[in-house]
Amino acid sequence: MKRPTDQQLRERLMQPGPKRQGQPVDAVTPPDQEMAVWVTLDMLKPYEHNPRQVKNPKYEEIKASIRAAGLKHKPPVTQRPGEKHYTICDGGNTRLQILRELYEETGESRFHAFYALYRPWQSEVKMLTGHLSENDNRGQLLWIERAKGVVDAKAMYEEESGYTLSQRELVRRLAEDGYQVAQSHISRMLYTVEHLLPTLPNSLYSGLGRSQAEKLISYREACRLLWERCTEEVTPEDFGEAWHQTMAWFDDEGQTEMNWSMVVDRLCGMLADHTGVHFNVCELTLDNIVTYRKRRWDLEEHQAFEALDVELQQMRDPDAQPPSVYPPLPESAAAPAAGRATAPAADPGREPQYQPQSDSQAEQLPSPRTLSRDAPADDERAESAELLRLREQVAALEREKQQLSESASPMVPVFSESASEAGPGPMVASAEEEGDWPEGAARTEAERADRLEGLTQSRWEETPGKRGYRHHLASELGVPSFDFEQLAPLAAPVLSGETTPPIADVWFIEGVEDEPRSLRIRIRELVQVIARWGGFGGSDVVIADDNGIGFDLNPLPDAADRRARFAWQALASLRGELNPEYPADATLWGALLGTHREEGVESAWDDAVLLRFFRLVRLIRRLREHLQGQQEAQS
């Protein structure tokens, strides 16, 4: 081939190059894998849906560290399709804000340009869950910030899928995207954003925590249930506005704990104003609902609304059941109201009864609800003769109280044979009867205090309203009712803050509970105490039985330990249905009662569980008496 001349080479080099076939681009395509990228502050922007709304509590600490040692942890960034700027992902907004502040303060280039960790773009919801997880782990997100983030994530998931997500599905998707949250918290988070945030925004963003929010939720739900019970007095749609107007007064900046005594008073006042129900009845019902729901008790089965229903019945039809006076006035004390249940006959094997009521103790004021109904409508009217007489009785009672407090031998409860024959009345004994007291009874205030302290394992809280209503109900039914403080100097009760009321007397059964339905309820409560000791309380092993002795048993799981088998066998023995695969010899009861101890194994009940087992035996025996009586009556 002939070599080209210099002129030919010059002409070829001067020819134009090939033409561009594609369109020009303004930016390079983002990488498809994680890598370090060199960025400047003007190339970055914070995540606009960052769940953290309050300043990071560690802000100054982080700023001091970056100022002294520079940026040690590269902020993760990503790039949305079609955007020029990088966006902070998986946390890092605090560091970006600190870098901008430091660059403005110092002008040093190390705060303006740096390496960042690039992560390929995935989706909006993955970026939100990444910020939730990172901020929650590093900077202690507030409860409301976590709740608001979960609600936003739920909305994004539903927008992507096109249908409403269940709580279980929401938990699964959040876990897949790297944010772990318990399902039990999901419903509370959704409830907080929907019902609490509009009313208490300042308190929630000031740091009102999960425990306080859960308590608020329990009281709001209790108020709603009480409100909806009053179907003729209020409409359900008005509850939200009434709640908001009442609770908005408690919304303060810097508040991390609510003043619960004041909150409950305001809520009871709100319910009383709108429904017309007495304040004390609202307080008692509210306390019942909150307590029973916390213990997972059935509200109807445990008669949480009993006092409210009686009050509503009298409000709607006052003539159907005239209001009674409790304690009875002197002129009506000798004539019991018609239709009232009479006191049960004395039975040495059953409950002891009260002594008759003395004249000085019978002359007491009627209930506040009765006084409020009988009081004159006009404040300017002169006081009636009845009211003047009641004032004199108050003065007499004050003088009697003063005399009793100065007496050297205070009155204490006592049982006697005559008391069981006379019918219900207050349990008192005069100083002259001191010689007839049973052996071991407390005779002085010091002995009484010592016995109370020795028999109290943990406190049992009972509001004055609840106690007063219990005594009032017993009086209306003509049956006795006792208190732990009354019986402690005489009997052998134990006060223990379990999920069951204190055992005032192992043998005595209050008249209001001496019927099959109430006995089954109490039996199931005591069975759960023993089941919890064995490790299977609250499970499906213990099931309700409304026809037998109150409970039945399913087999234990295969992995149940020896302690669980002991407890199961003890409960099964009360039904007469032992499991041959579990311990069944005589040493079972020796181990449980603490009279026999196996080496290296501690299977004995503690005092609280042991006493409740004795009480359980008594209740089952009494229930079987009722069932036998029903069978004899049918035959």
Side-chain angles (χ1 to χ4, degrees):
M1 182 178 178
K2 186 178 180 181
R3 182 175 180 277
T5 63
D6 294 343
Q7 182 62 29
Q8 290 175 341
L9 290 174
R10 190 179 299 109
E11 291 176 357
R12 291 179 183 180
L13 291 174
M14 295 299 294
Q15 291 179 1
K19 294 183 179 180
R20 183 175 58 194
Q21 301 297 324
Q23 297 295 327
V25 295
D26 298 332
V28 180
T29 304
D32 58 356
Q33 60 184 356
E34 289 190 6
M35 60 181 299
V37 293
W38 183 259
V39 296
T40 58
L41 291 178
D42 52 4
M43 298 170 58
L44 298 174
K45 69 174 185 176
Y47 179 52
E48 56 271 22
H49 301 299
N50 185 22
R52 183 185 298 283
Q53 301 296 317
V54 181
K55 186 177 180 179
N56 192 325
K58 300 181 180 180
Y59 188 90
E60 297 300 331
E61 179 182 343
I62 298 173
K63 184 175 181 180
S65 175
I66 295 177
R67 183 195 298 271
L71 187 63
K72 293 183 178 180
H73 302 285
K74 301 178 179 65
V77 298
T78 188
Q79 191 174 22
R80 290 188 177 94
E83 283 192 356
K84 296 181 179 180
H85 291 83
Y86 293 104
T87 304
I88 297 294
C89 72
D90 297 347
N93 295 279
T94 299
R95 280 170 281 172
L96 177 60
Q97 183 178 355
I98 290 174
L99 288 170
R100 287 178 172 172
E101 289 184 3
L102 291 174
Y103 181 67
E104 291 178 0
E105 295 173 3
T106 64
E108 298 182 17
S109 60
R110 63 187 180 121
F111 300 131
H112 181 262
F114 47 85
Y115 278 104
L117 177 60
Y118 174 83
R119 290 175 179 170
W121 169 260
Q122 292 181 312
S123 65
E124 289 288 348
V125 69
K126 285 186 177 293
M127 189 146 70
L128 174 59
T129 54
H131 279 84
L132 274 172
S133 179
E134 185 70 16
N135 288 330
D136 206 8
N137 292 333
R138 288 180 175 271
Q140 302 173 350
L141 279 178
L142 300 178
W143 168 256
I144 185 59
E145 292 175 335
R146 296 177 60 196
K148 191 69 169 58
V150 168
V151 171
D152 292 342
K154 181 175 183 291
M156 292 180 183
Y157 284 132
E158 291 175 349
E159 185 178 357
E160 289 181 356
S161 59
Y163 60 88
T164 302
L165 266 66
S166 65
Q167 294 183 13
R168 187 182 299 276
E169 179 70 11
L170 178 59
V171 171
R172 185 185 65 80
R173 291 206 178 188
L174 288 172
E176 289 178 353
D177 289 339
Y179 185 56
Q180 301 288 340
V181 58
Q183 184 176 347
S184 59
H185 291 172
I186 291 292
S187 61
R188 298 183 180 93
M189 289 177 173
L190 301 179
Y191 195 102
T192 298
V193 175
E194 181 179 1
H195 298 295
L196 302 186
L197 181 58
T199 304
L200 301 166
N202 294 326
S203 297
L204 287 170
Y205 279 109
S206 295
L208 204 67
R210 177 174 60 87
S211 61
Q212 296 286 300
E214 289 177 350
K215 199 168 183 179
L216 275 171
I217 293 172
S218 66
Y219 272 106
R220 189 182 190 278
E221 282 299 291
C223 290
R224 182 184 61 81
L225 291 174
L226 191 152
W227 184 285
E228 294 178 353
R229 195 83 173 185
C230 306
T231 54
E232 298 182 12
E233 289 73 22
V234 292
T235 56
E237 294 78 13
D238 296 335
F239 171 72
E241 181 63 24
W243 162 271
H244 176 78
Q245 292 179 356
T246 302
M247 293 301 299
W249 290 94
F250 295 97
D251 188 30
D252 296 327
E253 292 185 1
Q255 179 176 235
T256 58
E257 290 188 4
M258 306 291 292
N259 187 338
W260 289 108
S261 60
M262 187 178 296
V263 168
V264 174
D265 285 346
R266 289 287 183 89
L267 291 177
C268 291
M270 178 268 291
L271 294 171
D273 291 341
H274 286 80
T275 63
V277 179
H278 194 279
F279 181 95
N280 291 343
V281 177
C282 291
E283 183 182 20
L284 172 62
T285 307
L286 207 64
D287 179 69
N288 285 344
I289 297 173
V290 172
T291 303
Y292 294 174
R293 283 169 65 92
K294 185 177 181 180
R295 298 173 183 169
R296 302 182 183 275
W297 288 356
D298 183 83
L299 299 181
E300 297 295 342
E301 182 181 22
H302 287 77
Q303 302 177 353
F305 300 100
E306 182 179 13
L308 177 64
D309 291 342
V310 173
E311 180 80 4
L312 291 175
Q313 181 182 4
Q314 293 184 356
M315 288 172 52
R316 296 167 182 173
D317 191 3
D319 298 330
Q321 183 179 359
S324 60
V325 177
Y326 177 70
L329 295 175
E331 57 269 19
S332 61
R340 177 178 299 179
T342 58
D347 185 355
R350 292 184 55 192
E351 307 84 352
Q353 306 292 332
Y354 287 124
Q355 288 186 354
Q357 197 173 23
S358 63
D359 294 339
S360 62
Q361 291 159 341
E363 296 181 1
Q364 298 182 19
L365 287 175
S367 63
R369 181 159 54 89
T370 306
L371 283 179
S372 63
R373 290 180 176 174
D374 297 338
D378 188 1
D379 294 339
E380 301 297 330
R381 294 175 56 184
E383 293 181 337
S384 62
E386 176 70 12
L387 188 56
L388 292 176
R389 185 179 63 81
L390 292 176
R391 292 184 182 277
E392 294 177 358
Q393 292 179 9
V394 171
L397 288 173
E398 291 292 341
R399 291 193 297 271
E400 181 181 354
K401 181 180 178 181
Q402 183 67 21
Q403 294 174 359
L404 290 176
S405 63
E406 297 174 355
S407 175
S409 300
M411 297 194 303
V412 296
V414 65
F415 289 110
S416 66
E417 294 296 333
S418 60
S420 61
E421 299 174 359
M427 291 181 50
V428 296
S430 62
E432 290 79 1
E433 298 173 341
E434 188 172 323
D436 297 331
W437 288 358
E439 182 179 358
R443 290 179 170 83
T444 66
E445 282 298 325
E447 293 177 348
R448 177 188 176 92
D450 291 342
R451 178 163 293 191
L452 280 173
E453 182 179 358
L455 296 175
T456 301
Q457 295 184 351
S458 58
R459 299 305 306 171
W460 170 268
E461 299 297 337
E462 184 179 31
T463 61
K466 192 170 184 178
R467 174 174 292 194
Y469 179 78
R470 182 164 58 83
H471 289 305
H472 173 65
L473 182 62
S475 175
E476 290 293 301
L477 297 177
V479 295
S481 178
F482 299 115
D483 290 327
F484 175 80
E485 294 80 6
Q486 281 183 313
L487 290 177
L490 183 66
V494 168
L495 183 61
S496 175
E498 268 278 359
T499 56
T500 56
I503 305 298
D505 192 301
V506 174
W507 194 255
F508 172 74
I509 302 175
E510 292 196 42
V512 294
E513 296 185 352
D514 193 9
E515 53 90 17
R517 180 175 178 275
S518 296
L519 288 173
R520 288 190 180 99
I521 293 174
R522 299 295 172 242
I523 287 171
R524 285 197 286 271
E525 294 173 359
L526 296 173
V527 167
Q528 285 293 342
V529 172
I530 298 176
R532 284 195 299 274
W533 176 86
F536 55 89
S539 64
D540 57 355
V541 174
V542 180
I543 57 178
D545 181 10
D546 294 330
N547 297 320
I549 64 173
F551 73 97
D552 199 353
L553 297 173
N554 287 327
L556 288 169
D558 296 336
D561 56 13
R562 182 174 177 82
R563 182 170 180 169
R565 296 196 298 269
F566 265 51
W568 192 96
Q569 198 77 311
L571 295 175
S573 67
L574 301 179
R575 297 181 50 83
E577 301 173 356
L578 297 179
N579 190 326
E581 298 181 1
Y582 298 163
D585 53 7
T587 59
L588 163 71
W589 292 109
L592 290 174
L593 300 179
T595 59
H596 164 71
R597 184 174 185 273
E598 300 178 5
E599 289 296 331
V601 179
E602 183 57 56
S603 301
W605 286 323
D606 55 36
D607 293 341
V609 179
L610 178 63
L611 190 70
R612 280 167 172 79
F613 179 79
F614 291 151
R615 178 65 170 174
L616 177 61
V617 171
R618 165 60 175 149
L619 295 182
I620 293 178
R621 288 164 58 94
R622 181 60 184 152
L623 176 58
R624 291 200 181 278
E625 292 178 11
H626 281 291
L627 298 179
Q628 182 178 358
Q630 292 176 356
Q631 293 176 356
E632 294 176 354
Q634 293 175 357
S635 60

